[in-house]
Amino acid sequence: MAGQSRKWMILMATIWIQAFTGTNFDFSAYSSELKKVLDISQMELNYLATASDLGKAFGWSSGLALIYLPIWMVMFIAAFMGLFGYGVQWLLIRRIITLPYFPVFLLCLLAGCSITWFNTFCFVLCTQNFPTNRPLAISLTVSFNGVSAALYNLAAKAIDPTSYSLYLLLNAFIPLFTSFAALIPILRQPPASSNPISTETLRHDRIIFIILFIFAVITGIYLVAIPPNPAKLFFAGAICLLVLPLGVPGMVYARSWFTQNVTPRVIKRTSFMLDDDDDDLGLRKKLINGGHDDDDDGDGNGCWEMVIMSDRLAFLEEEHDMKRLLFRIDFWLYYFAYFCGGTIGLVYSNNLGQIAQSLGLASTTSTLITLYSSFSFFGRLLSAVPDFLKAKLYVARTGWLAIALVPTPLAFLMLSLTDAKIALQIGTCLIGLSSGFIFSSAVSITSELFGPKSVGVNHNILITNIPIGSLFYGLVSAFVYDGNALLKTASVCMGRDCYFGTFVLWGCVSVLGLVLSVLLFLRTRHAYARLERNQISLVS
């Protein structure tokens, strides 16, 4: 039981770290002030946003560091990179120091790299401590990364609602303080066990995960529904909601001990385990195969056979090294589906400040950031739905990815048709929901398609699309923005046309991402079906 409690402390530590290290999501809160201090164009500001995302291109360095350094040291290196990257930017925006443009670019790059190091560190902890519930652990912890902007927004309002530079100061110090708070659980990490996990432990884990997800939903609703004042009181409430789940594992294990040792055991096996009868198993097999055996896919011919059947994955969780990964059609479908979906959502969040300003809604920027952050959080939580529903309704995780991409083109269609305030808010919510699901589910999909042991390297290869997309999509938006500003002979573009062309292009690209994700699902569903049938046969 001591080992079990320690792994849950590790999970809580990763939740805290993820909740306070999504510092790139509040870029819009201070981007306009940074633009003013540096006296730069929208194009140059876009390069700074890209620099933060470019840090993900160096994610491989965190995997390399984990091979040679203790895991706690990797955490503190990430924290100090963020401290320096954001701290110097705070000095700059407060006009305490002056710097040319290129060093500021490098500071944004360093700050973005610290986020990637934190993420890789959390993925590794979840993989080591929850081998049988890896997707649930990753979905839960990554979900809290989505509420970072809402938490920082609340913290800034609680301290000084008039200061935009305060966000940079919080970005610099809060991850470091959180790392110190998480140090003891990480140092007491339980050793890896080669013994099989009992069904009783699996049942307890499922119950605890369900309760933790309920707490997470309550936290997200709290952050969305909170009134603007008094900010200090509601920020304290948010911290309490992050701390309260610490007691959940202890309560579950204490209840189990009480029922086993104090009163006769009356609780039978719950429905969380796969105890379906033969009829249910038969039904599930039909659902998995869509009413036919997966080998029937080979009956197609011509272009369809070439697109769907060529070099598709035969088995899931087969390890892929870098060379093998880069020659996989499935990887490139996955890469560009992510590039045309989740990455656009991130770029949209980076431009929220300028979008709101161009529509005359600059005062709503913090509200839009909170909406994007909170709905990104809900999207990340929803990425755990496939694992909770698979006993009743099994759909390949790549199918859920395709479903998650649907809201993005709908949102850009809405933003293209009207500049109403409510449309901007609804569109922001839809894009946050979609991108949040993609960010969270991507780690599990990478693990399933290309191997769990190689996920640290392979996932960092996948997310190289983020800096590339950030540069490309950001350049497009900056060209449109600066072009319209030039026509109006103003440094700040005002009006619906400032982003109209950008929304149309982003919407078309997101439709392409949806098509690619559907192709990925069609190519991989037979491999998911084979894995699920094997799991059913083992249980039965």
Side-chain angles (χ1 to χ4, degrees):
M1 187 174 292
Q4 291 296 314
S5 64
R6 274 188 275 172
K7 79 176 185 182
W8 291 108
M9 285 294 295
I10 288 287
L11 185 70
M12 289 306 305
T14 58
I15 285 175
W16 297 337
I17 290 169
Q18 287 285 300
F20 290 108
T21 56
T23 48
N24 56 325
F25 290 116
D26 61 16
F27 179 78
S28 294
Y30 57 86
S31 59
S32 296
E33 190 69 19
L34 190 62
K35 180 180 178 181
K36 185 190 301 182
V37 170
L38 291 173
D39 191 23
I40 55 178
S41 67
Q42 183 67 21
M43 183 75 71
E44 291 170 313
L45 181 66
N46 170 72
Y47 289 144
L48 295 184
T50 301
S52 179
D53 297 329
L54 191 61
K56 295 176 175 61
F58 298 94
W60 56 269
S61 60
S62 58
L64 188 65
L66 284 166
I67 297 174
Y68 298 103
L69 299 174
I71 196 164
W72 62 268
M73 190 176 293
V74 173
M75 176 181 67
F76 277 108
I77 291 174
F80 281 107
M81 282 194 295
L83 176 67
F84 185 79
Y86 287 116
V88 178
Q89 287 184 71
W90 177 80
L91 294 174
L92 174 70
I93 208 170
R94 295 286 295 178
R95 302 181 188 272
I96 297 173
I97 62 171
T98 57
L99 288 173
Y101 180 80
F102 185 68
V104 179
F105 180 91
L106 294 179
L107 289 172
C108 292
L109 177 66
L110 185 64
C113 193
S114 75
I115 298 169
T116 306
W117 275 54
F118 273 124
N119 289 341
T120 305
F121 161 81
C122 291
F123 298 156
V124 170
L125 279 180
C126 289
T127 301
Q128 289 177 349
N129 290 278
F130 295 91
T132 58
N133 287 304
R134 182 176 61 248
L136 287 176
I138 291 174
S139 293
L140 181 64
T141 56
V142 173
S143 298
F144 279 89
N145 194 251
V147 297
S148 290
L151 288 170
Y152 278 103
N153 188 41
L154 196 56
K157 285 182 177 179
I159 299 171
D160 185 358
T162 63
S163 175
Y164 297 108
S165 63
L166 183 59
Y167 284 90
L168 285 165
L169 194 63
L170 294 173
N171 288 353
F173 284 99
I174 289 183
L176 180 61
F177 295 153
T178 307
S179 298
F180 278 110
L183 181 60
I184 293 177
I186 291 168
L187 291 177
R188 292 179 56 80
Q189 183 179 357
S193 174
S194 59
N195 297 326
I197 300 175
S198 67
T199 56
E200 188 72 10
T201 299
L202 289 174
R203 185 176 71 86
H204 286 150
D205 285 0
R206 281 281 173 162
I207 295 172
I208 293 170
F209 270 117
I210 288 174
I211 297 173
L212 290 177
F213 270 96
I214 291 172
F215 265 104
V217 170
I218 293 171
T219 303
I221 294 173
Y222 177 88
L223 290 172
V224 171
I226 54 175
N229 290 303
K232 292 180 180 178
L233 177 63
F234 285 102
F235 180 66
I239 298 300
C240 288
L241 285 173
L242 290 176
V243 174
L244 280 177
L246 270 174
V248 171
M251 288 189 293
V252 172
Y253 283 111
R255 180 178 180 274
S256 177
W257 180 88
F258 187 83
T259 56
Q260 291 180 26
N261 297 280
V262 179
T263 61
R265 186 176 182 184
V266 294
I267 302 176
K268 298 180 180 179
R269 291 185 73 185
T270 68
S271 60
F272 298 127
M273 303 305 296
L274 301 176
D275 291 329
D276 303 340
D277 56 26
D278 293 338
D279 292 338
D280 290 335
L281 290 177
L283 177 61
R284 289 184 64 210
K285 290 181 180 180
K286 290 180 181 178
L287 286 172
I288 292 168
N289 293 313
H292 57 80
D293 188 80
D294 64 289
D295 293 333
D296 292 343
D297 289 343
D299 294 339
N301 50 52
C303 293
W304 180 257
E305 182 177 359
M306 182 177 65
V307 171
I308 302 301
M309 302 289 292
S310 176
D311 191 38
R312 65 177 184 173
L313 289 166
F315 300 96
L316 293 185
E317 299 188 352
E318 186 178 355
E319 297 297 332
H320 286 64
D321 58 21
M322 184 184 298
K323 181 179 179 181
R324 189 180 179 193
L325 181 80
L326 296 179
F327 280 94
R328 273 284 183 194
I329 296 174
D330 296 298
F331 170 75
W332 291 109
L333 284 173
Y334 180 33
Y335 187 93
F336 285 106
Y338 195 118
F339 178 83
C340 298
T343 299
I344 280 187
L346 184 60
V347 177
Y348 174 81
S349 72
N350 288 339
N351 282 268
L352 267 178
Q354 280 66 50
I355 292 171
Q357 184 184 48
S358 68
L359 297 176
L361 301 170
S363 60
T364 67
T365 299
S366 62
T367 301
L368 292 172
I369 292 171
T370 299
L371 285 174
Y372 179 88
S373 176
S374 300
F375 277 84
S376 174
F377 171 70
F378 288 127
R380 292 165 193 250
L381 285 180
L382 286 174
S383 68
V385 167
D387 298 285
F388 285 118
L389 291 185
K390 69 178 181 179
K392 301 299 180 183
L393 175 64
Y394 184 80
V395 179
R397 205 180 297 274
T398 48
W400 288 103
L401 176 69
I403 294 170
L405 280 166
V406 172
T408 300
L410 294 178
F412 285 122
L413 176 63
M414 183 189 307
L415 292 169
S416 302
L417 294 175
T418 177
D419 60 352
K421 179 180 177 181
I422 187 65
L424 181 60
Q425 292 174 338
I426 294 174
T428 300
C429 293
L430 289 175
I431 294 170
L433 190 72
S434 177
S435 58
F437 190 106
I438 296 165
F439 294 148
S440 183
S441 62
V443 183
S444 297
I445 294 174
T446 305
S447 174
E448 290 170 346
L449 295 184
F450 309 114
K453 293 181 181 178
S454 308
V455 68
V457 174
N458 291 344
H459 188 68
N460 281 315
I461 294 174
L462 170 72
I463 62 175
T464 56
N465 80 82
I466 293 179
I468 296 171
S470 181
L471 177 61
F472 173 71
Y473 299 135
L475 281 174
V476 169
S477 67
F479 273 126
V480 174
Y481 183 96
D482 286 339
N484 282 286
L486 187 62
L487 289 174
K488 298 174 183 180
T489 63
S491 59
V492 176
C493 182
M494 298 296 294
R496 180 186 173 190
D497 52 349
C498 298
Y499 278 92
F500 173 76
T502 300
F503 290 151
V504 172
L505 179 63
W506 286 357
C508 293
V509 171
S510 62
V511 171
L512 175 62
L514 177 59
V515 172
L516 294 175
S517 66
V518 171
L519 287 177
L520 179 65
F521 164 65
L522 294 175
R523 286 175 55 86
T524 58
R525 60 178 178 171
H526 78 291
Y528 276 96
R530 180 177 284 119
L531 177 65
E532 184 65 8
R533 283 201 304 273
N534 291 340
Q535 292 176 344
I536 292 173
S537 63
L538 288 173
V539 172
S540 59

